[in-house]
Amino acid sequence: RAVSGLLEEFPDGEGLLEDLLEKATAEAGLEGDADLRAALGPEVALVVLEVPTDPEADPPVVILTRPDDEDAFAQLFEGEDAARAEVKGWQAVAETEANLERYREELEAGSVEGTAAFEEAMDDLPAAALARVYVNGSALGEVPAGIAPLPLDLAGATGSLGAALVAEDGGVRVEGRAVAAAESEAPELEAFESELVEEVPAGVV
């Protein structure tokens, strides 16, 4: 609803999301967007197990959800070459059985919930967001330089990153939080004020 309201503020945006949902549900063989919501449930998570060292390779990703309608959820993946299983009450889907098994093994070793890095990175970010993102800095430290470029060096001891995408009246707001592993490693930051906007005419796209 929030996204639909925002799109209506733009030219040709009215009904755009509904059209996209209608197309998606038709391709999945579902009756309508209510069935799609039931199939996906109230929350969907994408877990990237690692950043591959080969820039041409796809990262191993696991999709997690708690569908309101498990039959509709199964229909989403009918005929697809994917591995699917229930893991601790969540429906988990991965491209291969090996990726799904790796997810199980890593989850047994512990989840991000309750870890200091996760709690600090996500601290004070809006819970009622369209999407929330967490990046584990220590895991990125194991990736060769140049494979996973970020606007802030989070590799190794530099800590982690949290972000939230929030819908507001007439716009979208992004909030982010970067956490250094140690206070001495935090960069000196100065407030920035753009002067470039003074050179941009009003009314342009």
Side-chain angles (χ1 to χ4, degrees):
R1 287 193 298 270
V3 173
S4 181
L6 287 173
L7 288 175
E8 290 177 2
E9 302 287 336
F10 294 89
D12 300 323
E14 187 170 356
L16 177 61
L17 183 62
E18 288 75 9
D19 292 343
L20 292 174
L21 287 173
E22 184 177 344
K23 181 179 179 182
T25 53
E27 290 178 353
L30 301 175
E31 292 295 327
D33 65 324
D35 284 353
L36 184 61
R37 288 197 300 270
L40 294 178
E43 185 177 18
V44 178
L46 301 178
V47 180
V48 182
L49 296 175
E50 71 172 2
V51 179
T53 55
D54 180 1
E56 301 297 322
D58 293 328
V61 176
V62 176
I63 302 172
L64 301 174
T65 187
R66 279 184 172 146
D68 295 326
D69 185 337
E70 293 195 8
D71 290 337
F73 176 76
Q75 195 168 330
L76 286 177
F77 297 95
E78 189 173 332
E80 298 290 335
D81 186 17
R84 182 166 61 88
E86 182 175 320
V87 181
K88 295 188 175 182
W90 290 78
Q91 291 294 326
V93 180
E95 189 174 15
T96 66
E97 190 63 47
N99 288 346
L100 197 55
E101 183 58 30
R102 177 178 173 182
Y103 165 72
R104 288 192 187 98
E105 292 173 356
E106 296 200 11
L107 185 61
E108 286 300 322
S111 70
V112 295
E113 184 179 16
T115 62
F118 178 79
E119 296 295 340
E120 290 181 22
M122 306 304 286
D123 185 38
D124 292 333
L125 292 179
L130 297 177
R132 286 158 55 92
V133 178
Y134 168 68
V135 178
N136 183 339
S138 61
L140 283 184
E142 302 171 6
V143 180
I147 297 295
L150 287 170
L152 180 65
D153 179 18
L154 296 173
T158 312
S160 301
L161 177 73
L165 179 67
V166 183
E168 295 184 337
D169 291 340
V172 176
R173 175 167 49 89
V174 178
E175 288 190 29
R177 181 178 175 87
V179 181
E183 189 173 339
S184 60
E185 294 164 356
E188 291 291 333
L189 301 179
E190 295 182 6
F192 173 79
E193 184 175 346
S194 172
E195 298 178 0
L196 178 60
V197 291
E198 298 175 2
E199 308 302 323
V200 180
V204 299
V205 176

